[in-house]
């Protein structure tokens, strides 16, 4: 909010290059991280909001070469309409919208822009483009999340396989140790005993593997 208020004051004071720099570097993507108009220009900051948008509106209207310009009262009404329509968007949205409209991104006009053209035709197109980019962001984040989940599962699976392999080897080593002095008959008797013991029964297969080598 403080950054937006600082930018607003700079625009109102017409500090050299500030607005031009914003126009050159802004993209719709940048606006998603900015606070909306209604949260910034409230209470004591309401006057700043009106003043900065009035500067932007006046500059926008003056950029058209039509002879019939808006009167001061019409500029004032357009400023109020702008604050209302962009209440859930950011100051950067207004700057970018006016730049895009001025550049013909929403279509050309053969008359001086008025409230109906600006908010009836151009503004919905801007919101539609912004919504499309927001959806693309959501899809990209969803895909990244899914990839991350797959990656985590792969790590877990690999770790489990390593653990199982290590455990298998430990069991083989243990069987090798306890059977190293057994002859085939003692080994057979041990297999028979373990098959009757519920706790040792799962490990009989290791004894049978050893039997192949005796």
């Amino acid at each position: 909010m403080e950054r937006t208020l600082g930018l607003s004051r700079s625009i109102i004071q017409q500090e050299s290059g500030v607005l031009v720099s914003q126009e050159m570097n802004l993209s719709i993507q940048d606006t998603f991280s900015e606070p909306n108009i209604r949260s910034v220009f409230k209470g004591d900051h309401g006057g700043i909001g009106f003043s900065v948008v009035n500067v932007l509106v006046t500059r926008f209207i003056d950029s058209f070469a039509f002879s019939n310009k808006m009167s001061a009262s019409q500029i004032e009404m357009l400023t109020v309409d702008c604050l209302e329509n962009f209440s859930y968007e950011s100051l950067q949205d207004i700057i970018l919208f006016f730049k895009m409209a001025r550049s013909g991104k929403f279509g050309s006009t053969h008359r001086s822009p008025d409230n109906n053209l600006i908010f009836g035709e151009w503004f919905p197109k801007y919101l539609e483009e912004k919504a499309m980019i927001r959806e693309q962001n959501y899809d990209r984040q969803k895909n990244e999340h899914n990839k991350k989940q797959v990656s985590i599962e792969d790590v877990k699976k690999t770790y489990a396989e390593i653990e199982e392999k290590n455990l298998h080897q430990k069991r083989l080593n243990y069987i090798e140790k306890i059977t190293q002095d057994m002859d085939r008959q003692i080994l057979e008797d041990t297999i028979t005993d373990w098959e009757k013991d519920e706790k040792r029964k799962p490990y009989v297969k290791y004894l049978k593997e050893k039997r192949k080598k005796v």
Side-chain angles (χ1 to χ4, degrees):
M1 288 178 60
E2 289 302 321
R3 184 175 60 185
T4 300
L5 289 170
L7 173 62
S8 299
R9 294 186 181 98
S10 296
I11 293 173
I12 294 169
Q13 295 166 10
Q14 299 185 9
E15 293 183 11
S16 177
V18 172
L19 191 49
V20 172
S21 176
Q22 286 287 311
E23 289 183 334
M24 290 178 63
N25 296 299
L26 271 179
S27 68
I28 290 180
Q29 185 67 51
D30 298 325
T31 65
F32 293 116
S33 60
E34 300 296 339
N36 59 47
I37 291 293
R38 69 197 306 268
S39 67
V40 178
F41 303 119
K42 59 183 180 180
D44 295 338
H45 297 142
I48 297 176
F50 180 86
S51 296
V52 67
V53 174
N54 187 261
V55 170
L56 296 175
V57 167
T58 302
R59 183 173 181 269
F60 172 68
I61 295 301
D62 286 345
S63 68
F64 293 90
F66 298 105
S67 57
N68 53 327
K69 297 291 184 179
M70 285 187 176
S71 64
S73 61
Q74 288 175 318
I75 291 288
E76 184 176 302
M77 286 187 286
L78 181 54
T79 299
V80 172
D81 289 346
C82 192
L83 283 166
E84 182 178 337
N85 281 278
F86 279 91
S87 61
Y88 290 97
E89 313 302 326
S90 67
L91 176 65
Q92 287 77 5
D93 278 299
I94 299 177
I95 294 172
L96 188 57
F97 168 71
F98 281 152
K99 176 195 174 183
M100 294 173 71
R102 187 181 71 223
S103 304
K105 299 293 184 181
F106 310 123
S108 59
T109 179
H110 301 290
R111 58 185 173 87
S112 181
D114 57 20
N115 295 41
N116 290 331
L117 177 61
I118 294 170
F119 297 113
E121 296 183 27
W122 291 348
F123 183 60
K125 292 180 180 178
Y126 177 79
L127 292 184
E128 183 177 347
E129 185 166 346
K130 188 173 181 179
M132 181 179 66
I133 294 175
R134 183 183 287 109
E135 185 67 22
Q136 290 172 352
N137 288 343
Y138 171 77
D139 289 340
R140 184 175 64 255
Q141 291 170 0
K142 183 178 179 181
N143 290 335
E144 289 174 353
H145 176 74
N146 289 339
K147 288 179 181 178
K148 185 177 180 180
Q149 287 297 107
V150 169
S151 178
I152 291 174
E153 291 303 317
D154 287 343
V155 170
K156 288 181 178 179
K157 183 179 179 181
T158 302
Y159 181 77
E161 289 173 351
I162 293 173
E163 285 293 297
E164 181 62 28
K165 185 177 180 180
N166 290 340
L167 182 59
H168 179 71
Q169 188 59 49
K170 287 179 181 179
R171 289 168 177 168
L172 288 177
N173 293 340
Y174 174 72
I175 295 298
E176 187 66 31
K177 182 178 179 180
I178 66 172
T179 62
Q180 60 183 349
D181 296 325
M182 290 183 183
D183 58 22
R184 187 173 184 84
Q185 185 57 53
I186 294 175
L187 185 56
E188 289 292 347
D189 292 340
T190 303
I191 291 173
T192 302
D193 291 339
W194 281 28
E195 285 179 334
K196 297 175 183 178
D197 188 331
E198 290 299 321
K199 291 184 178 179
R200 292 182 175 181
K201 191 174 182 179
Y203 307 107
V204 169
K205 61 182 179 181
Y206 295 102
L207 291 175
K208 289 182 178 180
E209 286 294 321
K210 175 65 177 180
R211 185 173 60 186
K212 295 177 182 177
K213 303 175 184 177
V214 177

